[in-house]
Amino acid sequence: MAEYAGLQISRNSLRAVRAESGGDGWKITDVFSSSWSDAESLAAALRECSARFGPDARYAVGIPQTEASIRHVSFPFSGDRAIRAALPFEMEAFLPYPAAETETTFIRISSSKEETKTLAIAARKERLAFYRNALKEAGITVASVMPEAAALLHLYRLVPAKDENGPVLLADAGEDDMLLCFADSDGFCDLHCTGAEAGEIPRFVSAVGREPSKVFVGGENAEKVGADKYGTAASWRRRLEAVFGPDHKPENLMTPLGLLAAAESRSPDGLFLGDSAKGTGLPAGTRFAAVCAAAFVVLALGNLAYGYFAKKSEYEQLRERSAEVFNAALPGKKAVKPAVQLKQKLEALDKKMRLAGLAGPGRGDLLWVLKRMSETLPEGLPFEAEELLYEDDTITVSGKTDKFESVTRIKELYSIVTPFKSCEVADSKATADGKKVSFKLRMHL
């Protein structure tokens, strides 16, 4: 039987499950938990876990969800390699640090000839290196790591229901934090980490903009976040016990069990490389072929490089000679590149014209946007606008309304009227007095 280990590293705790998977299904063989507060205590907890589980298990590791940034991103192509190449640059616009400092991965949501929708995930390289080094020092070798909430998606895929067609919300309530995963059979998903409080589940549902058909809540603090309110706790526990057995209370180990599912399925969804310095492990014959191919590529590139530098040297001589002729003919004058400068001026002017509504297809100026926003909202739907930011083809508006359902209604209205192509809820939460809901919408023109 194959041995797997799901290791969840949260902000201040560590949980791990060791299990066997074979013809008879899953069998949990051991459970480990510990707390940590700094690099030294994390290393000690990992060493203890490694010694207890042994060297034979295949590990899948979840790192704190707070280390990851998640956005819904679309691409006009569908190839995995092309998407992975474009992800860092697409995510850079949403992150406070450059693409060079980022590692990215994604979960494919849907794909067509025109568009591929993904849930893009980014994390800083230095933070991933911190966890990789800690795992390596503890003697734990992993093929991949992922944000801990992504494990709930893999758990959802492992524990399906035949009569379950609508979207499902999974929640794993820990001591302080709660992991949330919204998923459906068509591939759509969204992930979130928030405080372990009852009001956070409806807030997440409001931000997603879709109602789940069922809500499954697990974790040691399931009662604290209102698991009994949804009436599905017992059915969810039975489904987990049918897969993993009744021992060790599997409903309290949702995230580590999801990591087990990810380790067995070997799905690339939401995964970062476990050890960026890990070798390929190719067979000897394959390595020889790879070396020969590499030698051929080096020779070919060397020939191209020689031709390039020869032409570059010739070009530099021509440029220097041209500069000498220009200085002799027009002493004291400065040479410019009129074509390049003209192109830059035209691009800057075109941007200003589009923002003013004087160029491009249809009106897109600020006055027209404000007029359409006002006309779209029906009477009786309160909307107190506090801030509006107009950047290129994106409108970001902050405001207040009476309830979360109103935020969803406003989002739906702005998603179907011109000049808006789409509208998404960037943030929504109750005000301090609890009487209103503050929110932020992002609309694309």
PDB file of all heavy atoms in Angstrom, residues 73-91 104-111 115-121:
ATOM      1  N   VAL A  73      -8.102  35.386 -12.879  1.00  0.00           N
ATOM      2  CA  VAL A  73      -7.406  35.944 -14.043  1.00  0.00           C
ATOM      3  C   VAL A  73      -7.784  35.138 -15.275  1.00  0.00           C
ATOM      4  O   VAL A  73      -7.830  33.903 -15.225  1.00  0.00           O
ATOM      5  CB  VAL A  73      -5.867  35.910 -13.849  1.00  0.00           C
ATOM      6  CG1 VAL A  73      -5.163  36.474 -15.076  1.00  0.00           C
ATOM      7  CG2 VAL A  73      -5.472  36.693 -12.602  1.00  0.00           C
ATOM      8  N   SER A  74      -8.041  35.833 -16.395  1.00  0.00           N
ATOM      9  CA  SER A  74      -8.399  35.179 -17.650  1.00  0.00           C
ATOM     10  C   SER A  74      -7.304  35.379 -18.683  1.00  0.00           C
ATOM     11  O   SER A  74      -6.601  36.404 -18.675  1.00  0.00           O
ATOM     12  CB  SER A  74      -9.727  35.735 -18.184  1.00  0.00           C
ATOM     13  OG  SER A  74     -10.773  35.488 -17.270  1.00  0.00           O
ATOM     14  N   PHE A  75      -7.178  34.403 -19.591  1.00  0.00           N
ATOM     15  CA  PHE A  75      -6.181  34.459 -20.663  1.00  0.00           C
ATOM     16  C   PHE A  75      -6.838  34.121 -21.993  1.00  0.00           C
ATOM     17  O   PHE A  75      -7.778  33.316 -22.038  1.00  0.00           O
ATOM     18  CB  PHE A  75      -5.052  33.458 -20.388  1.00  0.00           C
ATOM     19  CG  PHE A  75      -4.278  33.727 -19.127  1.00  0.00           C
ATOM     20  CD1 PHE A  75      -4.638  33.106 -17.937  1.00  0.00           C
ATOM     21  CD2 PHE A  75      -3.207  34.607 -19.120  1.00  0.00           C
ATOM     22  CE1 PHE A  75      -3.942  33.349 -16.770  1.00  0.00           C
ATOM     23  CE2 PHE A  75      -2.502  34.857 -17.953  1.00  0.00           C
ATOM     24  CZ  PHE A  75      -2.875  34.223 -16.781  1.00  0.00           C
ATOM     25  N   PRO A  76      -6.338  34.702 -23.085  1.00  0.00           N
ATOM     26  CA  PRO A  76      -6.892  34.389 -24.414  1.00  0.00           C
ATOM     27  C   PRO A  76      -6.289  33.130 -25.035  1.00  0.00           C
ATOM     28  O   PRO A  76      -6.395  32.918 -26.235  1.00  0.00           O
ATOM     29  CB  PRO A  76      -6.531  35.639 -25.229  1.00  0.00           C
ATOM     30  CG  PRO A  76      -5.268  36.120 -24.612  1.00  0.00           C
ATOM     31  CD  PRO A  76      -5.369  35.808 -23.130  1.00  0.00           C
ATOM     32  N   PHE A  77      -5.613  32.299 -24.244  1.00  0.00           N
ATOM     33  CA  PHE A  77      -5.026  31.049 -24.719  1.00  0.00           C
ATOM     34  C   PHE A  77      -5.234  29.995 -23.637  1.00  0.00           C
ATOM     35  O   PHE A  77      -5.617  30.328 -22.504  1.00  0.00           O
ATOM     36  CB  PHE A  77      -3.538  31.223 -25.031  1.00  0.00           C
ATOM     37  CG  PHE A  77      -2.796  32.071 -24.041  1.00  0.00           C
ATOM     38  CD1 PHE A  77      -2.382  31.549 -22.827  1.00  0.00           C
ATOM     39  CD2 PHE A  77      -2.541  33.402 -24.324  1.00  0.00           C
ATOM     40  CE1 PHE A  77      -1.710  32.341 -21.910  1.00  0.00           C
ATOM     41  CE2 PHE A  77      -1.865  34.207 -23.409  1.00  0.00           C
ATOM     42  CZ  PHE A  77      -1.448  33.667 -22.201  1.00  0.00           C
ATOM     43  N   SER A  78      -4.983  28.722 -23.969  1.00  0.00           N
ATOM     44  CA  SER A  78      -5.343  27.644 -23.049  1.00  0.00           C
ATOM     45  C   SER A  78      -4.175  26.765 -22.610  1.00  0.00           C
ATOM     46  O   SER A  78      -4.330  25.966 -21.686  1.00  0.00           O
ATOM     47  CB  SER A  78      -6.415  26.750 -23.687  1.00  0.00           C
ATOM     48  OG  SER A  78      -5.921  26.169 -24.887  1.00  0.00           O
ATOM     49  N   GLY A  79      -3.009  26.855 -23.248  1.00  0.00           N
ATOM     50  CA  GLY A  79      -1.891  25.986 -22.904  1.00  0.00           C
ATOM     51  C   GLY A  79      -1.353  26.242 -21.510  1.00  0.00           C
ATOM     52  O   GLY A  79      -1.162  27.402 -21.111  1.00  0.00           O
ATOM     53  N   ASP A  80      -1.089  25.176 -20.751  1.00  0.00           N
ATOM     54  CA  ASP A  80      -0.560  25.316 -19.387  1.00  0.00           C
ATOM     55  C   ASP A  80       0.770  26.066 -19.383  1.00  0.00           C
ATOM     56  O   ASP A  80       1.005  26.927 -18.519  1.00  0.00           O
ATOM     57  CB  ASP A  80      -0.368  23.940 -18.753  1.00  0.00           C
ATOM     58  CG  ASP A  80      -1.686  23.315 -18.309  1.00  0.00           C
ATOM     59  OD1 ASP A  80      -2.719  23.971 -18.503  1.00  0.00           O
ATOM     60  OD2 ASP A  80      -1.665  22.198 -17.784  1.00  0.00           O
ATOM     61  N   ARG A  81       1.637  25.737 -20.327  1.00  0.00           N
ATOM     62  CA  ARG A  81       2.959  26.375 -20.359  1.00  0.00           C
ATOM     63  C   ARG A  81       2.837  27.867 -20.629  1.00  0.00           C
ATOM     64  O   ARG A  81       3.515  28.678 -19.996  1.00  0.00           O
ATOM     65  CB  ARG A  81       3.822  25.710 -21.431  1.00  0.00           C
ATOM     66  CG  ARG A  81       5.260  26.205 -21.457  1.00  0.00           C
ATOM     67  CD  ARG A  81       6.104  25.402 -22.430  1.00  0.00           C
ATOM     68  NE  ARG A  81       6.156  23.997 -22.064  1.00  0.00           N
ATOM     69  CZ  ARG A  81       6.807  23.085 -22.756  1.00  0.00           C
ATOM     70  NH1 ARG A  81       7.453  23.414 -23.868  1.00  0.00           N
ATOM     71  NH2 ARG A  81       6.827  21.820 -22.350  1.00  0.00           N
ATOM     72  N   ALA A  82       1.951  28.248 -21.547  1.00  0.00           N
ATOM     73  CA  ALA A  82       1.756  29.672 -21.848  1.00  0.00           C
ATOM     74  C   ALA A  82       1.158  30.405 -20.658  1.00  0.00           C
ATOM     75  O   ALA A  82       1.555  31.532 -20.341  1.00  0.00           O
ATOM     76  CB  ALA A  82       0.870  29.823 -23.080  1.00  0.00           C
ATOM     77  N   ILE A  83       0.219  29.757 -19.971  1.00  0.00           N
ATOM     78  CA  ILE A  83      -0.403  30.391 -18.803  1.00  0.00           C
ATOM     79  C   ILE A  83       0.623  30.589 -17.694  1.00  0.00           C
ATOM     80  O   ILE A  83       0.690  31.656 -17.077  1.00  0.00           O
ATOM     81  CB  ILE A  83      -1.589  29.546 -18.308  1.00  0.00           C
ATOM     82  CG1 ILE A  83      -2.732  29.587 -19.334  1.00  0.00           C
ATOM     83  CG2 ILE A  83      -2.094  30.046 -16.951  1.00  0.00           C
ATOM     84  CD1 ILE A  83      -3.896  28.685 -18.995  1.00  0.00           C
ATOM     85  N   ARG A  84       1.443  29.575 -17.439  1.00  0.00           N
ATOM     86  CA  ARG A  84       2.459  29.699 -16.383  1.00  0.00           C
ATOM     87  C   ARG A  84       3.485  30.781 -16.718  1.00  0.00           C
ATOM     88  O   ARG A  84       3.989  31.461 -15.827  1.00  0.00           O
ATOM     89  CB  ARG A  84       3.156  28.356 -16.175  1.00  0.00           C
ATOM     90  CG  ARG A  84       2.258  27.303 -15.553  1.00  0.00           C
ATOM     91  CD  ARG A  84       3.010  26.039 -15.184  1.00  0.00           C
ATOM     92  NE  ARG A  84       2.106  25.038 -14.626  1.00  0.00           N
ATOM     93  CZ  ARG A  84       1.701  25.020 -13.364  1.00  0.00           C
ATOM     94  NH1 ARG A  84       2.137  25.942 -12.524  1.00  0.00           N
ATOM     95  NH2 ARG A  84       0.876  24.084 -12.938  1.00  0.00           N
ATOM     96  N   ALA A  85       3.785  30.956 -18.010  1.00  0.00           N
ATOM     97  CA  ALA A  85       4.730  31.995 -18.404  1.00  0.00           C
ATOM     98  C   ALA A  85       4.135  33.388 -18.223  1.00  0.00           C
ATOM     99  O   ALA A  85       4.839  34.342 -17.867  1.00  0.00           O
ATOM    100  CB  ALA A  85       5.158  31.784 -19.857  1.00  0.00           C
ATOM    101  N   ALA A  86       2.827  33.530 -18.465  1.00  0.00           N
ATOM    102  CA  ALA A  86       2.193  34.848 -18.391  1.00  0.00           C
ATOM    103  C   ALA A  86       1.731  35.215 -16.985  1.00  0.00           C
ATOM    104  O   ALA A  86       1.539  36.395 -16.678  1.00  0.00           O
ATOM    105  CB  ALA A  86       0.996  34.894 -19.350  1.00  0.00           C
ATOM    106  N   LEU A  87       1.556  34.230 -16.105  1.00  0.00           N
ATOM    107  CA  LEU A  87       1.003  34.478 -14.771  1.00  0.00           C
ATOM    108  C   LEU A  87       1.765  35.533 -13.966  1.00  0.00           C
ATOM    109  O   LEU A  87       1.142  36.433 -13.387  1.00  0.00           O
ATOM    110  CB  LEU A  87       0.946  33.179 -13.974  1.00  0.00           C
ATOM    111  CG  LEU A  87      -0.375  32.410 -13.981  1.00  0.00           C
ATOM    112  CD1 LEU A  87      -0.244  31.144 -13.155  1.00  0.00           C
ATOM    113  CD2 LEU A  87      -1.498  33.270 -13.416  1.00  0.00           C
ATOM    114  N   PRO A  88       3.097  35.462 -13.861  1.00  0.00           N
ATOM    115  CA  PRO A  88       3.791  36.453 -13.020  1.00  0.00           C
ATOM    116  C   PRO A  88       3.525  37.887 -13.446  1.00  0.00           C
ATOM    117  O   PRO A  88       3.383  38.770 -12.589  1.00  0.00           O
ATOM    118  CB  PRO A  88       5.273  36.082 -13.206  1.00  0.00           C
ATOM    119  CG  PRO A  88       5.265  34.650 -13.618  1.00  0.00           C
ATOM    120  CD  PRO A  88       4.036  34.471 -14.438  1.00  0.00           C
ATOM    121  N   PHE A  89       3.440  38.129 -14.743  1.00  0.00           N
ATOM    122  CA  PHE A  89       3.234  39.489 -15.219  1.00  0.00           C
ATOM    123  C   PHE A  89       1.780  39.934 -15.030  1.00  0.00           C
ATOM    124  O   PHE A  89       1.503  41.098 -14.752  1.00  0.00           O
ATOM    125  CB  PHE A  89       3.641  39.575 -16.694  1.00  0.00           C
ATOM    126  CG  PHE A  89       5.028  39.068 -16.957  1.00  0.00           C
ATOM    127  CD1 PHE A  89       5.233  37.805 -17.478  1.00  0.00           C
ATOM    128  CD2 PHE A  89       6.136  39.836 -16.633  1.00  0.00           C
ATOM    129  CE1 PHE A  89       6.513  37.310 -17.699  1.00  0.00           C
ATOM    130  CE2 PHE A  89       7.424  39.349 -16.839  1.00  0.00           C
ATOM    131  CZ  PHE A  89       7.606  38.093 -17.377  1.00  0.00           C
ATOM    132  N   GLU A  90       0.834  38.991 -15.164  1.00  0.00           N
ATOM    133  CA  GLU A  90      -0.566  39.323 -14.918  1.00  0.00           C
ATOM    134  C   GLU A  90      -0.803  39.611 -13.435  1.00  0.00           C
ATOM    135  O   GLU A  90      -1.534  40.528 -13.082  1.00  0.00           O
ATOM    136  CB  GLU A  90      -1.462  38.163 -15.372  1.00  0.00           C
ATOM    137  CG  GLU A  90      -1.585  38.016 -16.870  1.00  0.00           C
ATOM    138  CD  GLU A  90      -2.355  39.154 -17.508  1.00  0.00           C
ATOM    139  OE1 GLU A  90      -3.232  39.725 -16.841  1.00  0.00           O
ATOM    140  OE2 GLU A  90      -2.063  39.485 -18.672  1.00  0.00           O
ATOM    141  N   MET A  91      -0.175  38.832 -12.555  1.00  0.00           N
ATOM    142  CA  MET A  91      -0.381  39.006 -11.122  1.00  0.00           C
ATOM    143  C   MET A  91       0.362  40.214 -10.569  1.00  0.00           C
ATOM    144  O   MET A  91       0.006  40.733  -9.504  1.00  0.00           O
ATOM    145  CB  MET A  91       0.068  37.750 -10.382  1.00  0.00           C
ATOM    146  CG  MET A  91      -0.853  36.560 -10.570  1.00  0.00           C
ATOM    147  SD  MET A  91      -2.473  36.825  -9.812  1.00  0.00           S
ATOM    148  CE  MET A  91      -2.076  36.606  -8.072  1.00  0.00           C
ATOM    149  N   THR A 104       4.366  31.700  -8.943  1.00  0.00           N
ATOM    150  CA  THR A 104       2.934  31.652  -9.235  1.00  0.00           C
ATOM    151  C   THR A 104       2.512  30.243  -9.624  1.00  0.00           C
ATOM    152  O   THR A 104       3.311  29.436 -10.093  1.00  0.00           O
ATOM    153  CB  THR A 104       2.568  32.611 -10.384  1.00  0.00           C
ATOM    154  OG1 THR A 104       3.377  32.296 -11.529  1.00  0.00           O
ATOM    155  CG2 THR A 104       2.791  34.054  -9.986  1.00  0.00           C
ATOM    156  N   THR A 105       1.239  29.971  -9.430  1.00  0.00           N
ATOM    157  CA  THR A 105       0.606  28.752  -9.896  1.00  0.00           C
ATOM    158  C   THR A 105      -0.852  29.079 -10.150  1.00  0.00           C
ATOM    159  O   THR A 105      -1.282  30.223  -9.947  1.00  0.00           O
ATOM    160  CB  THR A 105       0.767  27.614  -8.872  1.00  0.00           C
ATOM    161  OG1 THR A 105       0.222  26.407  -9.423  1.00  0.00           O
ATOM    162  CG2 THR A 105       0.042  27.931  -7.579  1.00  0.00           C
ATOM    163  N   PHE A 106      -1.638  28.108 -10.581  1.00  0.00           N
ATOM    164  CA  PHE A 106      -3.030  28.423 -10.896  1.00  0.00           C
ATOM    165  C   PHE A 106      -3.889  27.175 -10.826  1.00  0.00           C
ATOM    166  O   PHE A 106      -3.398  26.042 -10.834  1.00  0.00           O
ATOM    167  CB  PHE A 106      -3.146  29.058 -12.287  1.00  0.00           C
ATOM    168  CG  PHE A 106      -2.883  28.111 -13.432  1.00  0.00           C
ATOM    169  CD1 PHE A 106      -3.927  27.495 -14.107  1.00  0.00           C
ATOM    170  CD2 PHE A 106      -1.586  27.822 -13.825  1.00  0.00           C
ATOM    171  CE1 PHE A 106      -3.689  26.623 -15.151  1.00  0.00           C
ATOM    172  CE2 PHE A 106      -1.341  26.942 -14.875  1.00  0.00           C
ATOM    173  CZ  PHE A 106      -2.396  26.340 -15.548  1.00  0.00           C
ATOM    174  N   ILE A 107      -5.200  27.410 -10.759  1.00  0.00           N
ATOM    175  CA  ILE A 107      -6.218  26.368 -10.850  1.00  0.00           C
ATOM    176  C   ILE A 107      -7.081  26.706 -12.058  1.00  0.00           C
ATOM    177  O   ILE A 107      -7.641  27.801 -12.131  1.00  0.00           O
ATOM    178  CB  ILE A 107      -7.073  26.302  -9.576  1.00  0.00           C
ATOM    179  CG1 ILE A 107      -6.201  25.964  -8.353  1.00  0.00           C
ATOM    180  CG2 ILE A 107      -8.201  25.293  -9.724  1.00  0.00           C
ATOM    181  CD1 ILE A 107      -6.925  26.102  -7.035  1.00  0.00           C
ATOM    182  N   ARG A 108      -7.150  25.800 -13.006  1.00  0.00           N
ATOM    183  CA  ARG A 108      -7.950  26.053 -14.210  1.00  0.00           C
ATOM    184  C   ARG A 108      -9.431  25.938 -13.862  1.00  0.00           C
ATOM    185  O   ARG A 108      -9.888  24.917 -13.332  1.00  0.00           O
ATOM    186  CB  ARG A 108      -7.590  25.053 -15.300  1.00  0.00           C
ATOM    187  CG  ARG A 108      -8.279  25.308 -16.642  1.00  0.00           C
ATOM    188  CD  ARG A 108      -7.938  24.194 -17.608  1.00  0.00           C
ATOM    189  NE  ARG A 108      -6.517  24.207 -17.933  1.00  0.00           N
ATOM    190  CZ  ARG A 108      -6.011  24.856 -18.981  1.00  0.00           C
ATOM    191  NH1 ARG A 108      -6.812  25.538 -19.781  1.00  0.00           N
ATOM    192  NH2 ARG A 108      -4.712  24.819 -19.223  1.00  0.00           N
ATOM    193  N   ILE A 109     -10.197  26.988 -14.170  1.00  0.00           N
ATOM    194  CA  ILE A 109     -11.627  27.010 -13.870  1.00  0.00           C
ATOM    195  C   ILE A 109     -12.444  26.587 -15.083  1.00  0.00           C
ATOM    196  O   ILE A 109     -13.320  25.733 -15.000  1.00  0.00           O
ATOM    197  CB  ILE A 109     -12.049  28.412 -13.383  1.00  0.00           C
ATOM    198  CG1 ILE A 109     -11.393  28.692 -12.019  1.00  0.00           C
ATOM    199  CG2 ILE A 109     -13.558  28.527 -13.283  1.00  0.00           C
ATOM    200  CD1 ILE A 109     -11.676  30.075 -11.481  1.00  0.00           C
ATOM    201  N   SER A 110     -12.183  27.204 -16.229  1.00  0.00           N
ATOM    202  CA  SER A 110     -12.887  26.844 -17.458  1.00  0.00           C
ATOM    203  C   SER A 110     -12.014  27.218 -18.637  1.00  0.00           C
ATOM    204  O   SER A 110     -11.129  28.074 -18.533  1.00  0.00           O
ATOM    205  CB  SER A 110     -14.247  27.544 -17.553  1.00  0.00           C
ATOM    206  OG  SER A 110     -14.072  28.952 -17.656  1.00  0.00           O
ATOM    207  N   SER A 111     -12.285  26.591 -19.784  1.00  0.00           N
ATOM    208  CA  SER A 111     -11.477  26.861 -20.968  1.00  0.00           C
ATOM    209  C   SER A 111     -12.350  26.750 -22.207  1.00  0.00           C
ATOM    210  O   SER A 111     -13.153  25.826 -22.336  1.00  0.00           O
ATOM    211  CB  SER A 111     -10.309  25.870 -21.042  1.00  0.00           C
ATOM    212  OG  SER A 111      -9.455  26.179 -22.123  1.00  0.00           O
ATOM    213  N   GLU A 115     -11.340  31.999 -24.381  1.00  0.00           N
ATOM    214  CA  GLU A 115     -10.882  32.437 -23.059  1.00  0.00           C
ATOM    215  C   GLU A 115     -10.650  31.250 -22.143  1.00  0.00           C
ATOM    216  O   GLU A 115     -11.385  30.258 -22.189  1.00  0.00           O
ATOM    217  CB  GLU A 115     -11.934  33.375 -22.453  1.00  0.00           C
ATOM    218  CG  GLU A 115     -11.568  33.951 -21.097  1.00  0.00           C
ATOM    219  CD  GLU A 115     -12.678  34.809 -20.516  1.00  0.00           C
ATOM    220  OE1 GLU A 115     -13.861  34.429 -20.678  1.00  0.00           O
ATOM    221  OE2 GLU A 115     -12.376  35.846 -19.912  1.00  0.00           O
ATOM    222  N   THR A 116      -9.607  31.367 -21.325  1.00  0.00           N
ATOM    223  CA  THR A 116      -9.341  30.400 -20.255  1.00  0.00           C
ATOM    224  C   THR A 116      -9.390  31.140 -18.927  1.00  0.00           C
ATOM    225  O   THR A 116      -8.628  32.076 -18.713  1.00  0.00           O
ATOM    226  CB  THR A 116      -7.971  29.727 -20.423  1.00  0.00           C
ATOM    227  OG1 THR A 116      -7.948  29.027 -21.663  1.00  0.00           O
ATOM    228  CG2 THR A 116      -7.703  28.755 -19.295  1.00  0.00           C
ATOM    229  N   LYS A 117     -10.293  30.724 -18.059  1.00  0.00           N
ATOM    230  CA  LYS A 117     -10.431  31.364 -16.743  1.00  0.00           C
ATOM    231  C   LYS A 117      -9.667  30.546 -15.712  1.00  0.00           C
ATOM    232  O   LYS A 117      -9.770  29.317 -15.679  1.00  0.00           O
ATOM    233  CB  LYS A 117     -11.904  31.469 -16.354  1.00  0.00           C
ATOM    234  CG  LYS A 117     -12.717  32.374 -17.272  1.00  0.00           C
ATOM    235  CD  LYS A 117     -14.161  32.464 -16.805  1.00  0.00           C
ATOM    236  CE  LYS A 117     -14.970  33.390 -17.709  1.00  0.00           C
ATOM    237  NZ  LYS A 117     -16.378  33.482 -17.266  1.00  0.00           N
ATOM    238  N   THR A 118      -8.918  31.244 -14.859  1.00  0.00           N
ATOM    239  CA  THR A 118      -8.109  30.576 -13.838  1.00  0.00           C
ATOM    240  C   THR A 118      -8.259  31.268 -12.492  1.00  0.00           C
ATOM    241  O   THR A 118      -8.658  32.435 -12.425  1.00  0.00           O
ATOM    242  CB  THR A 118      -6.614  30.575 -14.212  1.00  0.00           C
ATOM    243  OG1 THR A 118      -6.106  31.921 -14.119  1.00  0.00           O
ATOM    244  CG2 THR A 118      -6.403  30.058 -15.617  1.00  0.00           C
ATOM    245  N   LEU A 119      -7.955  30.544 -11.447  1.00  0.00           N
ATOM    246  CA  LEU A 119      -7.755  31.120 -10.125  1.00  0.00           C
ATOM    247  C   LEU A 119      -6.247  31.186  -9.924  1.00  0.00           C
ATOM    248  O   LEU A 119      -5.595  30.164  -9.704  1.00  0.00           O
ATOM    249  CB  LEU A 119      -8.410  30.267  -9.042  1.00  0.00           C
ATOM    250  CG  LEU A 119      -8.395  30.869  -7.629  1.00  0.00           C
ATOM    251  CD1 LEU A 119      -9.287  32.104  -7.571  1.00  0.00           C
ATOM    252  CD2 LEU A 119      -8.870  29.849  -6.602  1.00  0.00           C
ATOM    253  N   ALA A 120      -5.683  32.370 -10.072  1.00  0.00           N
ATOM    254  CA  ALA A 120      -4.231  32.546 -10.019  1.00  0.00           C
ATOM    255  C   ALA A 120      -3.773  32.705  -8.572  1.00  0.00           C
ATOM    256  O   ALA A 120      -4.428  33.383  -7.768  1.00  0.00           O
ATOM    257  CB  ALA A 120      -3.814  33.757 -10.845  1.00  0.00           C
ATOM    258  N   ILE A 121      -2.638  32.097  -8.247  1.00  0.00           N
ATOM    259  CA  ILE A 121      -2.100  32.108  -6.885  1.00  0.00           C
ATOM    260  C   ILE A 121      -0.646  32.559  -6.945  1.00  0.00           C
ATOM    261  O   ILE A 121       0.131  32.052  -7.762  1.00  0.00           O
ATOM    262  CB  ILE A 121      -2.192  30.717  -6.243  1.00  0.00           C
ATOM    263  CG1 ILE A 121      -3.642  30.212  -6.270  1.00  0.00           C
ATOM    264  CG2 ILE A 121      -1.667  30.741  -4.812  1.00  0.00           C
ATOM    265  CD1 ILE A 121      -3.779  28.771  -5.839  1.00  0.00           C
TER     266      ILE A 121
END
